[in-house]
Amino acid sequence: MEEAGINGSCEVFSSAEELLEKGNPFYDLYLLDIQLSQMTGMELAEKIREKDDHAVILFATNYKEMIRKAFQVSALDYLVKPLDEVEVRQALLRSFRYLSKKRNRIALKNQSGVEIFYHEEIEYIESEKRKVRICSRRGSGEFYVRLNDLEHEFKGSLLVRVHASFIINLEKIRSVRKDTITMESGKEIPVTRKYKDQFNRAFQNYCLEMRR
């Protein structure tokens, strides 16, 4: 990982069920064996893809005929057993370099650990006292971070502040009426005077980009 410019850690699971029992940690990279005891690696990959379109998936398999199926779950690469150390290393380096280019994401920590959110999956963020609640397509989570810090983190992206308590994703807007934004989920979010000009500029630029 250091060679690819990435700092991180790894976890090992003895079965698909053990990984799924951990809940919803959302790892950046999964190296899956096709042949597992109960649920297969392919079935596990399908479970992962139900909630995470962004993670890198690598497969290890004895069967070359499984290669076509691997790409049905958007696997980045596959490794045929017996595994060759050089090939494994090259596949991991390609994966790490791919991940290092994906900058539109943010890692936040709570009591459960660290969760990674990609900008495009966030619908809106709401500040509640000393915490923020991030609402995304995979549910919501609460984190101890200031909305001001997130606003700075998202500068130049499609995540725009519209209220003292709200940051919204321009891509997730269903409608805008007067001073109220309706999001895809149906959530209505007010736009206050302080942030109205900022929102209008950002939304107009977004609409212009969409027409090109």
Side-chain angles (χ1 to χ4, degrees):
M1 287 191 288
E2 292 179 359
E3 186 174 338
I6 289 181
N7 293 317
S9 60
C10 67
E11 292 188 59
V12 178
F13 299 91
S14 60
S15 68
E17 291 76 19
E18 184 183 350
L19 188 151
L20 294 174
E21 283 173 5
K22 186 165 184 179
N24 201 14
F26 286 90
Y27 297 99
D28 283 322
L29 188 153
Y30 296 85
L31 176 55
L32 307 178
D33 195 323
I34 293 288
Q35 292 178 293
L36 296 173
S37 56
Q38 296 181 34
M39 182 183 294
T40 68
M42 188 63 62
E43 290 169 336
L44 175 57
E46 290 171 352
K47 291 285 186 183
I48 292 169
R49 283 289 178 247
E50 286 177 4
K51 296 184 178 180
D52 190 347
D53 293 329
H54 303 280
V56 170
I57 295 177
L58 303 178
F59 282 113
T61 178
N62 285 317
Y63 306 102
K64 290 186 178 180
E65 58 266 28
M66 298 297 296
I67 293 170
R68 182 177 296 179
K69 289 188 177 181
F71 292 107
Q72 292 175 1
V73 290
S74 302
L76 184 68
D77 211 339
Y78 63 90
L79 300 162
V80 178
K81 295 179 180 179
L83 298 180
D84 178 81
E85 183 178 346
V86 174
E87 290 181 357
V88 171
R89 183 170 174 274
Q90 290 174 343
L92 290 174
L93 281 173
R94 282 194 296 271
S95 301
F96 295 147
R97 286 169 181 150
Y98 172 80
L99 288 169
S100 70
K101 293 176 182 178
K102 297 175 72 172
R103 298 178 180 176
N104 293 329
R105 61 179 184 164
I106 185 168
L108 297 172
K109 192 172 184 179
N110 60 14
Q111 293 179 344
S112 301
V114 176
E115 286 198 46
I116 294 173
F117 291 91
Y118 293 88
H119 290 193
E120 63 218 53
E121 69 184 347
I122 297 172
E123 182 176 10
Y124 66 91
I125 303 171
E126 182 177 5
S127 175
E128 298 175 342
K129 296 182 179 179
R130 293 188 302 160
K131 297 184 292 185
V132 299
R133 184 162 60 94
I134 295 185
C135 297
S136 70
R137 64 183 178 189
R138 56 173 136 125
S140 63
E142 293 186 342
F143 304 89
Y144 285 97
V145 61
R146 297 193 311 164
L147 203 64
N148 287 343
D149 294 335
L150 291 181
E151 180 184 15
H152 178 75
E153 181 81 22
F154 295 142
K155 190 174 182 180
S157 75
L158 295 178
L159 290 157
V160 177
R161 193 161 187 176
V162 298
H163 186 280
S165 299
F166 288 98
I167 289 175
I168 59 103
N169 187 338
L170 298 176
E171 288 187 310
K172 307 298 184 184
I173 292 175
R174 181 189 293 172
S175 64
V176 180
R177 290 184 175 87
K178 294 185 178 179
D179 296 328
T180 302
I181 300 167
T182 302
M183 307 302 293
E184 287 182 351
S185 63
K187 172 75 173 181
E188 293 186 348
I189 295 175
V191 183
T192 55
R193 181 179 299 178
K194 179 178 179 179
Y195 298 99
K196 190 169 185 178
D197 288 344
Q198 173 179 292
F199 166 70
N200 286 339
R201 283 195 304 270
F203 191 53
Q204 287 170 8
N205 289 336
Y206 168 72
C207 291
L208 287 172
E209 286 292 326
M210 292 296 292
R211 291 171 186 164
R212 291 179 181 176

